[in-house]
Amino acid sequence: MANLILVTGGTGFIGSHTVVELQQAGYDVIIVDNLSNSKIEVVDNIAKITGKRPEFENFDLSNRADVLNFFLRHKDIKAVIHFAAFKAVGESVNKPLEYYRNNVNSLMNILEAMKFTGVHNLVFSSSCTVYGQPEKLPVTEATPRLPAESPYGNTKAVNEDIIRDFCHANADINGIALRYFNPIGAHPSALIGESPVGVPNNLVPYITQTAAGLRKELSIFGNDYNTPDGTPIRDYINVVDLSKAHVVAIARLLNGKNKSNYEYFNIGTGKGLSVMELVNAFMKATGVNLPYKIVARRAGDIEQIYADTTLANNELGWKAEVPIEDTLASAWNWEKHVRGIK
């Protein structure tokens, strides 16, 4: 068997694209997902893209006994990519205990099971939210982590600390945290993409659902920020580009190229776009007119952030490549595929 990689949350948005890239790079993949914010049909669509169906198991990673049982049944796992987490910033402000219980417990269960069964390598899905609202832009890996603006962001910071401390205490465990900026877009096949259950919490699926007529209009949360057009600035990265970063991170660990047993990298484009610029880029890329309105700021949102990706470029040999218009067009093609729009 080729190297077997466990992908938790592998039917989710980033997870499913990463499974595709792993399989296309020659890895075998097993997915664990409780389908709380995704659909089982994603596994079929991954198989359509790659010609190979990943293994799949449905259970909740916050259940310690189930996690250990899983690892005991799959002793050929070589590495774990841990995506599974609740991820809505606004919801986390209202439901902090649910976020801590789910996001932190699941990681600790995985680390404990890895140590018990001799799995040595972990790539963790972290976030630029660990930087809070940075005083200086762009952010590098040396930028101080600031208090998170939301419980969601804090679970990422807490989990990074747990992995760092666990790797420090266990010299045979290797961890890489990838600090994503804002993943958007969809696979060029339009077979997988961002398809949240219920009302989207992220900007681009709300844009595409508005364009498709499912939503009356797009709400832009605040136009009174200290930015050129008053709307928040983010670093929007294509989800396929992001997924490829996980493949090179896995190869770095499996080939022993990591320079310490806990590393972390910014994964973004290095370019900031405002919400308004993104909306205009979508209309330009698709030719669709998008109704929108300005509403009050949203709890937990920061003003602006974008990455310095030099370390990932140099150490991982990775860089973002897909232009923003192509990324937004792929998101629209995915939405049309889901809705049956010609």
Side-chain angles (χ1 to χ4, degrees), residues 251-300:
R252 182 178 177 87
L253 293 178
L254 293 181
N255 294 324
K257 301 291 188 185
N258 47 314
K259 292 184 176 174
S260 69
N261 75 331
Y262 174 64
E263 299 179 311
Y264 47 93
F265 300 95
N266 288 339
I267 305 296
T269 66
K271 178 178 169 56
L273 276 182
S274 75
V275 171
M276 206 64 246
E277 287 175 317
L278 190 79
V279 168
N280 288 330
F282 177 83
M283 292 193 283
K284 180 181 175 185
T286 63
V288 177
N289 192 38
L290 201 67
Y292 64 86
K293 66 177 178 180
I294 308 295
V295 299
R297 294 186 184 193
R298 182 172 58 177

Side-chain angles (χ1 to χ4, degrees), residues 2 31 45 47 53 55 74 90 99 136 149 153 160 171-172 181 214 217 244 297-298 300 311 325 342:
I31 295 168
N45 290 335
R53 186 180 182 87
E55 288 187 68
H74 297 279
Y99 272 68
K136 185 179 173 185
E149 299 284 326
E160 280 194 7
D172 60 336
F181 283 67
L214 270 75
E217 58 194 356
K244 290 175 178 176
R297 294 186 184 193
R298 182 172 58 177
L311 189 67
E325 287 82 7
K342 298 299 181 188

Side-chain angles (χ1 to χ4, degrees), residues 15 19 22 33 63 100 113 122 144 155 173 176 195 210-211 244 249 306 334 342:
V19 171
L22 284 166
D33 202 304
N63 184 308
Y100 286 112
L122 173 76
T155 65
I173 301 287
I176 292 178
S195 189
T210 303
K244 290 175 178 176
Y306 51 95
W334 158 249
K342 298 299 181 188

Side-chain angles (χ1 to χ4, degrees), residues 68-283:
L68 183 57
N69 177 267
F70 170 85
F71 274 84
L72 288 169
R73 287 186 289 108
H74 297 279
K75 294 197 173 170
D76 47 353
I77 291 170
K78 295 293 190 292
V80 179
I81 304 181
H82 182 43
F83 293 106
F86 293 160
K87 62 174 190 170
V89 169
E91 182 182 62
S92 77
V93 174
N94 297 322
K95 300 179 178 179
L97 293 185
E98 288 184 27
Y99 272 68
Y100 286 112
R101 185 176 293 115
N102 183 72
N103 294 6
V104 177
N105 282 355
S106 60
L107 172 71
M108 291 196 295
N109 292 340
I110 287 166
L111 291 172
E112 185 178 50
M114 285 174 60
K115 179 175 172 62
F116 189 78
T117 58
V119 179
H120 302 296
N121 302 300
L122 173 76
V123 175
F124 176 61
S125 162
S126 192
S127 167
C128 65
T129 55
V130 301
Y131 297 114
Q133 177 57 70
E135 294 175 7
K136 185 179 173 185
L137 291 169
V139 293
T140 72
E141 286 79 1
T143 298
R145 287 188 348 190
L146 295 175
E149 299 284 326
S150 69
Y152 162 75
N154 203 36
T155 65
K156 293 299 186 183
V158 168
N159 280 355
E160 280 194 7
D161 292 345
I162 289 170
I163 296 166
R164 179 201 64 207
D165 294 346
F166 191 74
C167 289
H168 180 74
N170 297 277
D172 60 336
I173 301 287
N174 301 291
I176 292 178
L178 298 181
R179 293 174 175 170
Y180 316 154
F181 283 67
N182 286 63
I184 62 171
H187 195 268
S189 66
L191 287 169
I192 55 174
E194 189 168 11
S195 189
V197 175
V199 178
N201 286 293
N202 292 340
L203 177 59
V204 170
Y206 210 106
I207 286 175
T208 58
Q209 289 190 14
T210 303
L214 270 75
R215 311 287 164 197
K216 180 184 172 187
E217 58 194 356
L218 172 70
S219 293
I220 294 176
F221 296 103
N223 67 344
D224 57 350
Y225 288 94
N226 185 25
T227 61
D229 63 17
T231 63
I233 289 174
R234 299 288 184 270
D235 185 335
Y236 296 98
I237 178 169
N238 182 281
V239 66
V240 177
D241 278 341
L242 174 60
S243 298
K244 290 175 178 176
H246 295 79
V247 180
V248 296
I250 284 290
R252 182 178 177 87
L253 293 178
L254 293 181
N255 294 324
K257 301 291 188 185
N258 47 314
K259 292 184 176 174
S260 69
N261 75 331
Y262 174 64
E263 299 179 311
Y264 47 93
F265 300 95
N266 288 339
I267 305 296
T269 66
K271 178 178 169 56
L273 276 182
S274 75
V275 171
M276 206 64 246
E277 287 175 317
L278 190 79
V279 168
N280 288 330
F282 177 83
M283 292 193 283

Side-chain angles (χ1 to χ4, degrees), residues 7 9-11 29-35 38-40 43 53-59 70 74:
V7 180
T11 57
V29 177
I30 183 164
I31 295 168
V32 169
D33 202 304
N34 67 358
L35 303 176
S38 59
K39 297 181 175 71
I40 188 62
V43 179
R53 186 180 182 87
E55 288 187 68
F56 175 82
E57 291 199 22
N58 180 345
F59 66 90
F70 170 85
H74 297 279

